[in-house]
């Protein structure tokens, strides 16, 4: 079962095809270019790729305005190129999940075009219409400051249509059984082409009731079970990873009490409190978030963990005071902030390029409960281009070398400007340089990924936050199959000494350092005393390195993880 539930101990790498590697020299990344970089990703230790939207699109929202669910945008190649790419992933043992953007379509999609032209069209009910503009049309906008309404007038249809996002992205009427059936066809199509699952975009909006009379949307959670059953009928180990930025009290609804809905959900609560902890060296809200999101759930479910992704760093779940502290530390200029709730920068410039701080953040990513998701370019510490609008600033091309355009393309005019000059320009920050430097961030990341995959306790085990006597130090012990792993992090810029009562499972109380040679034995009182340097971190195994011989092979299927 461990092999079947591959996502429990996976390392997921998120990228956009158009900004990763251009093979044909037109300035836009493509599937042929991405396929040529698979050996790089395999060497990094990636076990699963998550691709952003690549279907045909007017590209008014980075491809999230899909105009055809059954094809590849010509910018990126052909369906044949995609199949060759998915086959190459399979050859290397790399899984593939893709974005499933089904809350809305582009207004250029043939479905919407047919719906707006004829009130009697069968596609009319595939979208959400109103004869008059609802009174609450200015409520519930997703992009404050950019988006003014969720209902817009369509001259051709002579009616208002609902769009939770931009006006060029009309919402699908997902409660319509015909729409649901079509969405299953979309999933089945890509599964047949080698996809191992989907990252479902904006899931709370997908399952919410929609209409001019809906004042308080109600989530239709049974829809998630329908999606889950279908993908597993088609491919037994396929997964659904939900983007659901919801309160912890609702998390369990997305997993399902019996684990029969989403296998994975992104943990936004932990993500936001993690950045508060990094900004303040106060781990208490983070420890609380870990506690409230450890809802008892079947062992088949898993959290998805991330630091930065393709969107802004959303801080909407923090208190106003907490959000201000994070803004002041990581995005003090108004130009660095977005939608009155988030920060649009990449991780490295947010952490001021401080290698110690970056290592600490990545160490936390790989050791908090769940499956780590890494954004392309973060393994080399790429920066951002704040001259680009909204979230585009963190979506610049991958920096492969110090050759023109960072080795991304032979074209003089790439899809986005490659970052050049300064601390984060491709001349200084690129994969080729870092591959040749043993102590580089890239090689450090490769080593930490290798060690994370050798610690399935983090992905599979139960965890306990241990008291450290310091608000700046977070200690977590994982227990699984007669083995224990301890991870300790000092989030402060000054050293701290802590004493830990570790307990756990092991033949001896010795803590074996997995990343260095400074192992630790308990003192007479049985407690382990550790001195952590500024931004210091430790990964320990309890007992000796014979842990593989002591690992039990007990049943894992029905147990609840609490």
């Amino acid at each position: 079962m461990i092999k079947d539930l591959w996502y429990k101990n996976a390392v997921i790498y998120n990228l956009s095809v158009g900004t990763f590697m251009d093979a044909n020299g037109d300035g836009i990344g493509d599937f042929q270019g991405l396929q040529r970089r698979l050996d790089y990703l395999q060497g990094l230790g990636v076990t699963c790729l998550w691709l952003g939207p690549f279907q045909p699109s007017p590209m008014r929202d980075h491809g999230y305005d899909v105009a055809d669910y059954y094809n590849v945008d010509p910018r990126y190649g052909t369906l044949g190129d995609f199949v060759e790419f998915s086959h190459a992933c399979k050859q290397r043992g790399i899984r593939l999940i893709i974005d499933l953007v089904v809350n809305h379509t582009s207004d250029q999609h043939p479905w919407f075009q047919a719906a707006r032209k004829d009130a009697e069209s069968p596609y009319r009910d595939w979208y959400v219409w109103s004869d008059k503009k609802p009174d609450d049309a200015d409520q519930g906008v997703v992009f404050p400051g950019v988006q003014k309404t969720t209902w817009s007038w369509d001259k051709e249809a002579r009616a208002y249509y609902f769009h939770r996002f931009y006006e060029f992205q009309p919402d699908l009427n997902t409660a319509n059984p015909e729409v649901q059936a079509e969405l299953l066809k979309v999933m089945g199509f890509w599964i047949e082409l080698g996809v191992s699952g989907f990252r479902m975009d904006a899931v709370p909006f997908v399952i919410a009731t929609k209409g001019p009379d809906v004042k308080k949307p109600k989530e239709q959670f049974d829809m998630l079970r329908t999606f889950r059953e279908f993908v597993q009928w088609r491919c037994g180990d396929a997964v659904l990873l939900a983007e659901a930025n919801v309160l912890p009290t609702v998390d369990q609804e997305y997993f399902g009490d019996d684990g029969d809905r989403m296998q994975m959900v992104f943990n936004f609560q932990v993500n936001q409190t993690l950045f508060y902890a990094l900004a303040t060296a106060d781990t208490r809200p983070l420890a609380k978030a870990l506690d409230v999101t450890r809802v008892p759930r079947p062992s088949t479910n898993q959290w998805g963990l991330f630091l930065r992704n393709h969107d802004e760093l959303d801080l909407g779940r923090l208190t106003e005071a907490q959000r201000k502290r994070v803004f002041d530390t990581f995005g003090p200029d108004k130009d660095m902030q977005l939608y009155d709730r988030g920060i649009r920068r990449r991780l490295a410039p947010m952490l001021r390029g401080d290698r110690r701080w970056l290592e600490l953040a990545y160490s936390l990513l790989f050791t908090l409960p769940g499956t780590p998701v890494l954004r392309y370019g973060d393994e080399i510490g790429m920066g951002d281009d704040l001259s680009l609008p909204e979230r585009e600033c963190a979506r610049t091309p991958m920096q492969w070398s110090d050759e023109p355009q960072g080795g991304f393309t032979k074209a003089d005019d790439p899809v986005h400007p490659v970052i050049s000059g300064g601390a984060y320009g491709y001349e200084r920050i690129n994969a080729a340089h870092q591959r040749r430097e043993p102590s580089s961030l890239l090689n450090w990341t490769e080593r930490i990924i290798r060690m994370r995959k050798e610690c399935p306790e983090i992905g599979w085990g139960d965890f306990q936050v241990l008291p450290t006597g310091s608000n700046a130090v977070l200690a977590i012990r994982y227990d699984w199959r007669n083995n224990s792993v301890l991870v300790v992090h000092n989030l402060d810029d000054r050293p701290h000494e802590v004493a830990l009562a570790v307990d756990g499972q092991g033949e001896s109380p010795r803590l074996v350092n997995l990343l260095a040679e400074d192992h630790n034995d308990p003192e007479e009182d049985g407690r382990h005393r550790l001195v952590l340097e500024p931004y210091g971190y430790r990964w320990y195994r309890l007992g000796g390195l014979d842990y593989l011989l002591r690992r039990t092979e007990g049943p894992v299927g029905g147990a609840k993880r609490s």
Side-chain angles (χ1 to χ4, degrees), residues 378-390:
D378 278 357
E379 72 272 21
I380 61 173
M382 274 179 56
D384 47 46
D385 182 354
L386 294 177
S387 70
L388 296 175
E390 297 185 63

Side-chain angles (χ1 to χ4, degrees), residues 102-177:
V102 294
N103 177 64
H104 50 255
T105 69
S106 165
D107 59 6
Q108 301 304 305
H109 197 292
W111 300 343
F112 188 71
Q113 290 297 314
R116 76 198 314 183
K117 289 177 181 178
D118 182 3
E120 301 302 320
S121 167
Y123 292 107
R124 186 75 164 198
D125 289 338
W126 285 36
Y127 295 89
V128 185
W129 304 91
S130 178
D131 292 332
K132 63 178 183 178
K133 192 171 187 177
D135 295 335
D136 60 353
D138 60 343
Q139 302 297 311
V141 297
V142 174
F143 305 122
V146 178
Q147 177 189 0
K148 296 182 179 180
T149 182
T150 58
W151 289 89
S152 292
W153 176 257
D154 186 79
K155 293 181 180 179
E156 194 164 3
R158 300 190 61 80
Y160 288 91
Y161 63 92
F162 179 66
H163 54 91
R164 179 64 73 178
F165 291 74
Y166 295 113
E167 64 177 9
F168 53 82
Q169 293 170 319
D171 269 36
L172 284 166
N173 180 14
T174 48
N176 185 332

Side-chain angles (χ1 to χ4, degrees), residues 184-383:
L184 298 182
K185 291 179 184 177
V186 170
M187 289 189 277
F189 176 82
W190 292 105
I191 286 174
E192 291 301 313
L193 296 184
V195 165
S196 293
F198 303 90
R199 175 263 188 187
M200 289 193 66
D201 184 60
V203 176
F205 299 139
V206 173
I207 65 175
T209 52
K210 306 173 184 182
D213 299 325
V214 175
K215 301 303 179 184
K216 187 176 181 182
K218 181 180 179 181
E219 295 89 351
Q220 303 162 96
F221 289 110
D222 285 345
M223 197 183 302
L224 300 181
R225 182 176 182 179
T226 300
F227 294 153
R228 165 74 174 271
E229 288 179 340
F230 178 82
V231 297
Q232 290 204 309
W233 285 334
R234 288 294 177 91
C235 181
D237 59 0
V239 302
L240 292 172
L241 168 58
E243 181 200 30
N245 188 355
V246 295
L247 291 171
T249 53
V250 188
D251 286 332
Q252 185 61 26
E253 296 287 358
Y254 287 84
F255 289 120
D257 289 336
D258 297 320
D260 57 352
R261 294 174 182 168
M262 302 289 98
Q263 289 102 328
M264 299 183 70
V265 179
F266 280 119
N267 198 330
F268 283 91
Q269 194 74 19
V270 164
N271 175 258
Q272 296 183 38
T273 54
L274 172 56
F275 275 91
Y276 177 77
L278 290 170
T280 62
D282 183 357
T283 66
R284 289 174 296 177
L286 175 57
K288 182 179 179 180
L290 291 172
D291 182 57
V292 298
T293 58
R294 62 180 296 162
V295 289
R297 60 187 187 276
S299 61
T300 55
N301 292 133
Q302 182 74 311
W303 287 115
L305 295 168
F306 63 102
L307 291 170
R308 287 293 289 112
N309 57 22
H310 58 293
D311 290 329
E312 77 281 4
L313 170 62
D314 191 340
L315 304 172
R317 298 296 180 192
L318 300 181
T319 66
E320 187 174 344
Q322 290 174 330
R323 187 160 51 250
K324 185 178 185 304
R325 289 293 301 273
V326 181
F327 276 149
D328 290 345
T329 303
F330 297 133
D333 299 338
K334 197 66 178 176
D335 187 44
M336 300 173 180
Q337 302 168 17
L338 195 60
Y339 309 136
D340 300 322
R341 65 168 182 252
I343 297 174
R344 66 190 192 110
R345 310 183 74 192
R346 263 195 181 260
L347 185 68
M350 285 174 64
L351 301 185
R352 302 165 197 164
D354 188 326
R355 175 66 181 271
R356 302 171 305 162
W357 216 355
L358 282 167
E359 286 190 13
L360 172 75
Y362 290 133
S363 179
L364 283 162
L365 169 67
F366 285 106
T367 58
L368 289 176
T371 295
V373 181
L374 187 67
R375 177 69 170 160
Y376 83 94
D378 278 357
E379 72 272 21
I380 61 173
M382 274 179 56

